[in-house]
Structures are given as C-alpha cells and as structure tokens.
C-alpha cells in the first residue's frame, strides 16, 4: 500500500489530469467518463476504507456480515448437491475483509471449504496488494474484468458496493427529449460545472423504461457498464449454475432522480470538488440489472432489503452468540454494529440484495426464498 502521503499525491495528480480533460473537451465530458476517471484516480490512491477512511462498508463494520454471506453460500452449495468444485468470485473486494470472513467461516464446513476456488475481480493494483495481504493463507486468482472468470464449475459470484462505483450516464429530459448531462469548464468561474448536451449515444434513450414519465429537467440514470456486467454474469450463471448475489444501495424499481454523490471523510461532498480524491458513486438501479441478467437465461429473485437478508440468515442470534464470548467493550459494540447493518434508519433499508440463479434450477437462495420469482 502506498503511504497516505504518496496516495494523496497520486490521487491529486490523476485529479489534475481529469480537470485538464474537462478543459480540453469541446462537447463536455460525459458523467460516465468523469466517473470512470475519478474512480480510477481514487482507488489508485487506495485511501483506506473503514472507520479511519472516507467511508465504511458493511464487511468493515462487522465480521457478522461476511459470516452471513458464508452461510448463504454454503446453503446454496448444499442445495445444489454439494458439488466438488466451486468457483467463488468476489467483484470489487476492497481490502479483502469480506472474503477473509467468508473463508474463516467456511472452516465450519470442511467439504465446502475444500471445494472453494477463489477469484477476485479488481482493477486497482493497490487494493490487490491489500487483498493479497488479507488472504495470505490462500492463492486467489485476480481478474481485470468478469469476462475472464472461469465457467467450468458451479459458481457463486458475490459483491458488496461494487455496482455503485461503476459509471453512469445521466439523461436529462429537456424540451420533450432526452439530452445528456456533462461536465464543462466554466471559464468565468474558473471551475468545472454541469451542463447539458445532446446524447453521445442516441440508443440510450430507447433504454428508458416505459413507465418513466419525466417532467422537464428530470434526470434518469443508466449504467451501460453495470448492465453489460450483469449480462455477462447472467450468461455465466446460466452455463454453470450457482448464483450471483449483489448487495448495494439503490432502488428496487427504476425511477428518475440525480443520485450521483461524492463522499469524503464520512460526509457528503461536492462531486466537482477535489476530483480524484473522494469516492464518487451512484445508486444502483436493481431492476435494470435484473433485467439485463434475466435476458441471459437466469431468474432474478425480487430485490430484498439488507435488513431482511441478514435477519433471515440469523444475524441477531449470531450477535448474541458473539456477545457471550466478548470482552465488556466488544459486548457494547456488537449491538451497535448489528443496528448499523440492519436498522432501516441506518443501512438496513437503503442497502438491498439482489440474486440471480439459473432458470429452471431447483434452488431457493436463503432470504429470497419466500419471494415470488421474477
Ligand atoms: N467490496 C468492498 C469494497 C467496495 S469499494 C467493501 O464492501 O468494502 C469498490 C471496489 O470495487 C474497490 O475494490 C474498487 O477498486 C473496485 N472497483 C471499482 N471499479 C471496478 C471495476 N470497473 N472493475 C473491478 N473492480 C472495480
């Protein structure tokens, strides 16, 4: 990992490059291109996630999160007749905490543990190093994209806060047609600013769902990158069986709204300031992802909240069990962590889980099983 100083300098240098790019682009820089460059800059700086970093994710809050996902994976494997080989992939593993917790929990089921082959999809070289350190007892295989994940075994493909980092296009309804939001250089003000231009990819307008009835100025977000990945994952699961589980924040039904956001030091920040030095994300359109995956031969299970997902796997019982073995200080922290992960006022309701399984397979993913299949 770079030292914080070098990391900050790296991000700043990339940020300056992005600003130069905005100044040089005659038609403005699309929000998608901006996000892609800003994310690459930010993750190259490898600012720490976690309590001391810019934002904290569920696996970093508590080991219970990874334990529940391990349980979910082991249950599916059991339902599928305990295949001897499992391709377990995580997309965007951050510091590797979730996978480390899954592998530790997997020791409870030796046959499951023995079947696991771990693959990580990660573009940041700095984070790959952090993942290697967190997972030093195994030899994971890293991939630049989901395209190279092997399709020769029962597959469990998981992600937490991966899709929110992928670039979106922002369509703006103006004068009775969809235009595109972009970023231009405001010469008078001397800083970047949002503007509107004709759609760079006219085909995007046809991808807005029928039920959307925009008013003047409304924004509709489409993430072509996320949809392409969901399609690839759908094709993957349709071939190998198994499941894809994505946990992220977003909306279950496609809707208008500007959800582009920047977070720095646990606070919302201005998207166009400190470019490359803050985390830039957008809410995930789960309906669009499910649709893309379903086209490829998978069934998508209705989206459920993180609260429902974790509760149905027994996180409260696990919290009580942990509290019995904890130090007095930990004993106070465990209910707080549980609350943060599951309370609707914290991460319980904004964060959601979506799952795809192969069409026709007789498996019922835990937490989703009492929902009607899509
Ligand atoms: N899952 C982790 C980290 C979330 S942050 C956690 O919950 O703590 C997003 C992660 O996705 C980072 O690891 C980042 O480097 C990675 N990432 C972002 N864009 C990516 C892309 N296009 N391909 C692969 N990984 C990407």
């Amino acid at each position: 990992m770079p030292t914080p100083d070098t990391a900050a300098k790296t991000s700043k240098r990339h940020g300056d490059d992005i600003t130069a790019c905005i100044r040089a682009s005659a038609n403005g820089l699309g929000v998608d291109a901006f996000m892609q460059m800003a994310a690459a800059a930010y993750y190259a700086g490898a600012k720490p996630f976690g309590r001391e970093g810019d934002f904290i994710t569920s696996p970093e809050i508590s080991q219970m999160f990874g334990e529940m996902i391990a349980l979910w994976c082991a249950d599916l494997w059991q339902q599928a007749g305990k295949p001897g080989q499992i391709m377990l992939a995580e997309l965007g593993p951050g510091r590797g905490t979730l996978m480390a917790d899954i592998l530790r929990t997997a020791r409870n089921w030796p046959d499951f543990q023995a079947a696991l082959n771990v693959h990580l999809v990660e573009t940041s070289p700095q984070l790959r190093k952090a993942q290697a350190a967190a997972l030093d007892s195994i030899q994971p295989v890293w991939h630049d994209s989901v395209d190279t994940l092997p399709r020769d075994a029962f597959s469990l493909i998981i992600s937490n806060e991966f899709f929110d980092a992928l670039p979106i296009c922002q369509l703006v309804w103006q004068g009775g047609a969809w235009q595109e939001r972009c970023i231009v250089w405001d010469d008078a003000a001397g800083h970047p600013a949002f503007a509107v231009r004709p759609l760079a990819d006219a085909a995007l307008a046809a991808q807005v769902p029928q039920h959307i009835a925009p008013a003047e100025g409304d924004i509709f977000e489409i993430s072509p990158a996320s949809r392409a990945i969901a399609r690839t994952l759908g094709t993957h699961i349709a071939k190998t069986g198994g499941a894809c589980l994505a946990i992220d924040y977003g909306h279950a039904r496609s809707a208008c709204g500007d959800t582009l956001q920047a977070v720095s030091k646990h606070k919302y920040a201005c998207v166009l300031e400190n470019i490359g030095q803050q985390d830039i994300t957008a809410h995930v359109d789960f309906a669009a992802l499910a649709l893309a995956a379903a086209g490829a031969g998978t069934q998508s299970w209705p989206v459920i909240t993180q609260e429902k997902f974790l509760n149905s796997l027994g996180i409260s019982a696990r919290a009580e069990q942990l509290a019995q073995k904890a130090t007095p200080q930990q004993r106070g922290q465990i209910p707080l962590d549980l609350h943060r992960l599951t309370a609707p006022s914290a991460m319980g309701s904004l964060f959601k889980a979506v799952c795809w399984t192969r069409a026709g397979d007789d498996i019922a993913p835990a937490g989703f099983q009492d929902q009607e299949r899509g």
Side-chain angles (χ1 to χ4, degrees), residues 42-297:
Y42 180 74
Y43 290 112
K47 282 204 181 174
F49 306 67
R51 292 178 205 277
E52 72 285 6
D54 282 326
F55 61 100
I56 186 157
T57 57
S58 297
E60 303 289 340
I61 288 173
S62 166
Q63 67 184 69
M64 293 186 287
F65 184 78
E67 290 170 350
M68 294 303 113
I69 294 194
L71 207 58
W72 188 88
C73 289
D75 174 63
L76 266 184
W77 166 76
Q78 195 161 19
Q79 288 187 45
K82 303 188 176 179
Q85 295 290 325
I86 306 168
M87 199 287 301
L88 172 63
E90 184 180 354
L91 318 181
R95 298 206 298 197
T97 309
L98 172 58
M99 186 56 83
D101 285 337
I102 291 175
L103 297 179
R104 182 177 39 75
T105 313
R107 291 194 216 133
N108 292 315
W109 312 288
D111 291 353
F112 173 66
Q113 184 190 23
L116 293 173
N117 302 291
V118 175
H119 293 259
L120 306 173
V121 178
E122 176 60 68
T123 40
S124 157
Q126 285 77 11
L127 286 174
R128 282 188 182 197
K129 281 187 200 150
Q131 292 152 19
L135 302 170
D136 60 352
S137 62
I138 58 155
Q139 286 175 330
V141 180
W142 277 274
H143 301 260
D144 289 330
S145 89
V146 295
D147 298 338
T148 52
L149 289 174
R151 296 184 178 184
D152 53 0
F154 176 81
S155 298
L156 296 169
I157 305 176
I158 58 166
S159 67
N160 184 65
E161 290 211 44
F162 169 72
F163 285 100
D164 66 39
L166 298 180
I168 56 158
C169 296
Q170 288 192 315
L171 280 60
V172 188
W173 186 254
Q174 237 178 36
W178 288 110
Q179 315 281 339
E180 183 174 4
R181 205 172 182 213
C182 64
I183 295 141
V184 295
W185 187 258
D186 182 337
D187 263 334
H191 58 64
F194 284 109
V196 174
R197 68 179 187 189
L199 275 177
D201 174 5
L204 280 184
Q207 293 180 27
V208 179
Q210 295 281 318
H211 74 266
I212 299 294
E216 181 72 12
D218 270 357
I219 288 181
F220 186 80
E221 298 174 340
I222 296 183
S223 174
S226 298
R227 290 179 184 204
I229 290 175
R231 245 190 318 276
T232 303
L233 296 178
T235 315
H236 184 125
I237 293 297
K239 172 156 194 291
T240 62
C244 212
L245 172 73
I247 299 179
D248 226 307
Y249 57 94
H251 33 274
R253 188 161 196 258
S254 304
C256 283
D258 171 16
T259 74
L260 191 65
Q261 67 180 40
V263 169
S264 180
K265 311 262 176 329
H266 301 274
K267 290 206 174 76
Y268 290 113
C270 175
V271 170
L272 298 183
E273 280 173 13
N274 298 318
I275 295 172
Q277 297 178 71
Q278 47 191 18
D279 189 45
I280 299 205
T281 58
H283 284 203
V284 173
D285 181 346
F286 286 103
L289 288 192
L291 211 62

Side-chain angles (χ1 to χ4, degrees), residues 51 61-62 64 315-316 318-324 326-343 346:
R51 292 178 205 277
I61 288 173
S62 166
M64 293 186 287
I315 194 169
S316 303
R318 177 60 178 151
E320 278 170 29
Q321 191 186 39
L322 281 174
Q324 281 166 12
T327 63
Q329 195 205 349
Q330 289 169 331
R331 203 166 297 139
Q333 188 61 40
I334 292 167
L336 298 179
D337 293 344
L338 178 65
H339 180 270
R340 193 155 181 197
L341 290 175
T342 58

